[in-house]
Amino acid sequence: MTIPTSSIEQVIPGQGSMAQPEATKKAKKQRFRFVSNRKAATGLIILGIYVLFAIIGPWVAPYDPSARSNDLLQPPSGDHWLGTTHLGQDVFSQLLEGTRSVIFVGFFAGTVATVLSVLIGVTAGYLGGKTDEGLSALSNVFLVIPALPLIIIITSTLENAEDWLIAMVIGLTSWSWNARVLRAQTLSLRRRDFVDAARATGEKTWRVIMFELMPNLTAVIASGFVGTVIFAVLSEITLAFIGVASADTWNWGTILFWAQGQQALAREAWWWFIPAGLAIALLGTALSLINFGIDEFVSPRLRSVGKTKIKTASGNTVRMRIGFTPVLSQGATPVATPVIRKETVQ
């Protein structure tokens, strides 16, 4: 026997046929909430431009970044948009060529570190016992090791280290912090009712982890990935700037290395180092905005910041913010009221 949807609607409001479009609309709104965040959208657009330059940069570069010319240390012009170096090399072509190396190392190292942190952190948090003790001890060892000096030592012993090798070294030495965060989150989630229900139905361990725990850890994993990409990018640029990485491979750190070595600042050749510095700052800003967007997406308290409004007696509107609790008087200006303590004299 079939029950009409109108009867269901009469018994349980919002559960009939009229509820289906509303549920679908709500699901779509939840799906695009992250992209609708201004910070996340701005960061994704800037990062997309960098990725586009990383893909097509070497093909659209007007000159060979290593080719020399007679235009020595020339300022920006129509022929050379960002000027030239002391050898007549085009700075704009070097910047485009170096974008691919920076983006590749950042994302490859972030992927390696994220995979390791998920495997070790989630496994330790869910299984517990001796497995947790052993993996936690391993994480603590890598946590106290200074990552950047270790990366410098390893890469300095490797002659002409390629980008993938540098990215692998950075990824293998920067997973421990995210693993600790994921372990703590997993310890909290494994005691939830839905995980106990999955175990009670006989689900295998890998299915519980993949289909019950991982969807609830997606935002934490994404935030850790973005943070690792920022660290990897800065690490590769640092290695190139101090001369540890190969000077034959162009990246933004290599540009700064040659500019510093040839006294570009003293020679007032600002076009040699400012574009690379701005590119680094803009990429870091884009990744940070994406990270902020992830935090606001998973935290309702941060998501509602600045949206709560109250009206004063005079009709003006005051926007509430975290950390600011105004006490409103009859006027339009929030004022603070003193707290009077009463003490009893014995």
Side-chain angles (χ1 to χ4, degrees), residues 22 28 64 78 80 103 131 150 301 324:
E22 295 179 1
K28 291 182 178 179
D64 183 355
H80 303 280
I103 297 297
T131 303
L150 180 61
R301 186 166 181 252
F324 296 87

Side-chain angles (χ1 to χ4, degrees), residues 11-243:
V11 178
I12 307 176
Q15 298 298 324
S17 59
M18 297 297 294
Q20 295 178 0
E22 295 179 1
T24 304
K25 186 177 180 180
K26 186 176 181 181
K28 291 182 178 179
K29 186 177 180 181
Q30 291 284 345
R31 189 181 307 166
F32 293 102
R33 178 181 292 175
F34 175 73
V35 183
S36 62
N37 184 283
R38 293 182 180 179
K39 296 178 182 177
T42 304
L44 288 174
I45 291 173
I46 298 175
L47 182 61
I49 295 174
Y50 274 103
V51 173
L52 179 63
F53 284 159
I55 296 174
I56 67 174
W59 296 320
V60 300
Y63 301 95
D64 183 355
S66 301
R68 303 183 181 185
S69 67
N70 295 326
D71 299 327
L72 306 181
L73 211 62
Q74 295 297 315
S77 61
D79 295 333
H80 303 280
W81 291 358
L82 294 179
T84 60
T85 67
H86 68 298
L87 298 177
Q89 299 166 330
D90 186 65
V91 177
F92 181 65
S93 300
Q94 295 177 354
L95 198 67
L96 290 177
E97 182 76 21
T99 304
R100 172 176 293 185
S101 174
V102 171
I103 297 297
F104 171 78
V105 171
F107 278 86
F108 188 82
T111 302
V112 172
T114 302
V115 171
L116 288 175
S117 63
V118 169
L119 289 176
I120 295 176
V122 176
T123 303
Y126 183 77
L127 296 181
K130 293 183 178 180
T131 303
D132 183 18
E133 294 178 1
L135 294 178
S136 296
L138 181 63
S139 300
N140 292 334
V141 170
F142 277 87
L143 195 63
V144 298
I145 294 177
L148 187 58
L150 180 61
I151 295 171
I152 293 175
I153 293 173
I154 295 176
T155 53
S156 61
T157 58
L158 303 173
E159 296 182 0
N160 297 325
E162 298 182 358
D163 290 340
W164 70 269
L165 187 57
I166 295 176
M168 184 67 70
V169 173
I170 295 174
L172 291 175
T173 55
S174 56
W175 56 266
S176 56
W177 178 256
N178 293 334
R180 296 287 296 177
V181 175
L182 289 172
R183 174 184 174 273
Q185 292 293 325
T186 306
L187 287 173
S188 175
L189 289 173
R190 74 173 186 176
R191 300 183 180 91
R192 303 290 178 87
D193 293 339
F194 63 90
V195 177
D196 293 336
R199 290 200 204 99
T201 56
E203 293 287 351
K204 295 181 180 180
T205 301
W206 68 271
R207 287 188 62 86
V208 174
I209 294 176
M210 292 298 299
F211 296 100
E212 302 295 340
L213 295 179
M214 293 300 292
N216 293 280
L217 295 173
T218 304
V220 181
I221 295 172
S223 179
F225 172 77
V226 173
T228 307
V229 171
I230 296 175
F231 174 75
V233 168
L234 295 178
S235 297
E236 190 213 8
I237 293 172
T238 302
L239 293 175
F241 178 71
I242 64 178

